[in-house]
Amino acid sequence: EYEDICFRSVRARLAKLLLKLHAEEPGVIDRNNLTIGQAAARISTAPELVSRAIRFMKTNNYIEADRRSIEIINLKALARIAQLDGEGSETEVPTLN
């Protein structure tokens, strides 16, 4: 979305994408289905910036990530980063099962 590119940081856009993928299919995100390049294209940024955002999220224990998968471990923190407060029910923070 144009608004996301203009008003959200790369970290926020990546967090929003990860939350969206988690809402569509809870559980571990397969990195074969979401490569760095694919994530970068989906949030309109450079792959290096996606890598940095993933490192930041790993370092802060928001996600666990390796070459094969990404697992969200702190949904509320990702929602804060994604700046989802007040956007309505379609972007509600999903519960972690």
Side-chain angles (χ1 to χ4, degrees), residues 31 54 58 63-67 69-71:
R31 297 280 298 265
I54 288 173
K58 275 180 66 171
I63 64 171
E64 289 183 6
D66 58 30
R67 292 188 176 274
S69 65
I70 296 173
E71 182 177 5

Side-chain angles (χ1 to χ4, degrees), residues 52-91:
R52 288 183 197 168
I54 288 173
R55 273 195 305 274
F56 170 83
M57 291 174 189
K58 275 180 66 171
T59 300
N60 287 286
N61 297 313
Y62 303 150
I63 64 171
E64 289 183 6
D66 58 30
R67 292 188 176 274
R68 292 173 299 214
S69 65
I70 296 173
E71 182 177 5
I72 297 172
I73 55 176
N74 191 334
L75 286 167
K76 289 185 182 196
L78 278 188
R80 277 193 309 275
I81 292 170
Q83 303 164 349
L84 295 180
D85 301 353
E87 282 195 10
S89 61
E90 72 181 63
T91 55

Side-chain angles (χ1 to χ4, degrees), residues 23-43:
E24 291 171 358
E25 191 172 322
V28 176
I29 298 166
D30 184 347
R31 297 280 298 265
N32 289 322
N33 298 330
L34 185 71
T35 65
I36 297 288
Q38 290 167 333
R42 288 184 70 174
I43 64 171

